[in-house]
Amino acid sequence: MDGLHSHPRTMRRVVMARTTAKQTHTWRSIVDTYTKAERNGWAYKTDTKTEFLRDPTVDATVVLRVATALRDKPKAESKKQEGSWRNPFLPYDENLWCCDLSDTHVLLLNKFNVVPHHTLVVTKEFKSQEDPLESTDVEALWATLQCYPSGALAFFNSGPHSGKSQPHKHVQVIPLPLAEGMSQLPFQNLLEQAWIEAANEGEGAHEDGVFFTAKALPFVNFACKLNALMSTSQVHHQYRALLDKTALQVDANPLSYNLLLTTEWMMAVPRRQESAGPVSVNALGFAGTFLLRSEEEISYIRNLGFLAVLQVVGMPWPSSNGK
Ligand code: AMP
């Protein structure tokens, strides 16, 4: 048995769900929309060069995507829109429409791509990005996560310090791996170890699954194990449990946090700042990848180290006194 209640041996034991016709259709719609958008200039691909940054203290290597031209794009766009802002998701750009996921959600291509096939799971009606995910949100994002043939990462930036830019509720999905040849996410080993320890100590094992925190990471995080066979309501239930733990850490309303999930695990990270120096961080930072807009940002993260950057924008563990 590889259910939620079994004794964990390794987090990498992936539970496979059979690909359904709907998933195949969703994936084709992403590829078709992306191809047409690229050909016709409906979406903007940011050229990046990939660099790696290792921290031997936790034995993790993160991916730096250096995009020197990015300053001209979303930032210029938002400047232009100052005073005349309009919701980009209502109405959405029909050229970026991939498919309807349900009665309540639509799948759009991200207009400003850093990686191909970057999509947004968007509510059809206006809902606030600061509201918790509902089961209909989870249903739509869980279906999207599973349609990417080589795996995907979904992320949600919620609250003023989370790194979000749009107020209309949307969850983003990018394909894995994060970089060519990278067999797993940068913090995956740390999560796996934390999961095994929690389960062995009997601490994290609850009826609903195994909850754990990766204490080797210097920012507060709450995680749980998922598998591809879980139902929407199980995933939603786990999310609510992580959100409750996260809310206890943040003395602010609205709460700022990032949520990351693959079909194998989910992690919530409370936030206290949007940026560390010039480096602005959204959920992807906690997945182990940073989009850097200038040489200044590159030097900053190389000098301070990515773990310190994440601790500044996340929350330090209480015992570490923020140092
Ligand atoms: P966030 O910054 O987390 O709020 O995510 C908003 C995302 O929407 C960003 O990744 C933008 O690139 C993307 N975006 C902005 N404008 C549009 C648009 N008109 N259509 C589709 N995606 C957009």
Side-chain angles (χ1 to χ4, degrees):
M1 161 182 149
D2 194 2
L4 287 167
H5 316 299
S6 59
H7 184 77
R9 286 190 193 86
T10 169
M11 201 166 185
R12 307 245 61 225
R13 196 157 47 126
V14 180
V15 179
M16 303 291 286
R18 276 222 320 253
T19 306
T20 64
K22 191 171 176 197
Q23 286 163 1
T24 305
H25 171 264
T26 306
W27 174 243
R28 285 208 183 121
S29 76
I30 295 170
V31 173
D32 286 353
T33 308
Y34 180 77
T35 308
K36 281 191 208 138
E38 283 292 287
R39 195 183 300 141
N40 295 299
W42 298 330
Y44 304 98
K45 175 93 174 60
T46 303
D47 286 328
T48 59
K49 66 179 162 96
T50 303
E51 296 180 14
F52 297 93
L53 186 58
R54 182 176 141 73
D55 188 315
T57 61
V58 290
D59 191 21
T61 300
V62 296
V63 179
L64 307 183
R65 288 191 173 266
V66 179
T68 46
L70 191 67
R71 280 192 190 288
D72 308 327
K73 289 181 181 162
K75 281 209 168 166
E77 184 94 347
S78 61
K79 279 248 157 56
K80 250 192 279 158
Q81 289 173 346
E82 252 169 42
S84 62
W85 178 84
R86 91 156 184 84
N87 184 348
F89 305 143
L90 198 63
Y92 54 79
D93 179 342
E94 290 192 1
N95 293 324
L96 303 175
W97 177 83
C98 299
C99 63
D100 280 357
L101 291 165
S102 62
D103 290 344
T104 50
H105 288 74
V106 68
L107 187 66
L108 303 180
L109 193 69
N110 191 319
K111 189 171 185 132
F112 304 100
N113 285 290
V114 174
V115 292
H117 310 133
H118 181 165
T119 56
L120 307 170
V121 174
V122 178
T123 55
K124 287 185 180 174
E125 288 178 5
F126 181 82
K127 294 271 169 76
S128 169
Q129 185 73 355
E130 284 164 4
D131 288 347
L133 295 177
E134 296 171 21
S135 63
T136 52
D137 299 314
V138 172
E139 182 183 20
L141 80 88
W142 194 235
T144 306
L145 257 187
Q146 303 210 31
C147 87
Y148 282 74
S150 53
L153 171 77
F155 59 100
F156 183 52
N157 304 318
S158 183
H161 306 304
S162 66
K164 63 117 184 152
S165 62
Q166 299 300 334
H168 182 131
K169 198 186 246 185
H170 60 284
V171 177
Q172 308 192 48
V173 184
I174 56 166
L176 292 176
L178 284 186
E180 214 181 307
M182 194 167 227
S183 63
Q184 58 179 24
L185 282 159
F187 302 143
Q188 179 113 4
N189 274 343
L190 298 171
L191 289 172
E192 182 172 345
Q193 278 161 22
W195 175 55
I196 291 169
E197 278 161 26
N200 287 344
E201 287 164 14
E203 270 181 16
H206 299 288
E207 237 177 65
D208 300 328
V210 180
F211 291 92
F212 56 95
T213 57
K215 285 262 165 57
L217 292 167
F219 51 83
V220 173
N221 63 82
F222 301 104
C224 68
K225 181 79 174 80
L226 303 176
N227 74 60
L229 300 179
M230 284 170 73
S231 66
T232 298
S233 67
Q234 284 174 306
V235 178
H236 187 236
H237 194 71
Q238 305 262 57
Y239 157 74
R240 290 299 314 207
L242 294 185
L243 187 61
D244 288 347
K245 290 171 193 285
T246 305
L248 289 176
Q249 302 292 318
V250 184
D251 186 18
N253 189 8
L255 168 70
S256 290
Y257 71 102
N258 295 128
L259 185 80
L260 301 102
L261 64 159
T262 70
T263 53
E264 294 176 59
W265 53 267
M266 169 158 56
M267 177 167 81
V269 179
R271 295 289 301 270
R272 58 178 171 166
Q273 276 181 216
E274 198 263 335
S275 308
V279 179
S280 102
V281 178
N282 71 11
L284 287 178
F286 297 94
T289 182
F290 297 83
L291 179 57
L292 302 172
R293 300 167 159 87
S294 63
E295 290 300 331
E296 186 197 2
E297 293 179 25
I298 301 165
S299 315
Y300 191 88
I301 198 166
R302 285 199 178 277
N303 290 337
L304 196 62
F306 63 82
L307 291 177
V309 166
L310 293 177
Q311 192 183 51
V312 167
V313 297
M315 302 258 177
W317 291 107
S319 57
S320 65
N321 295 324
K323 285 177 190 151

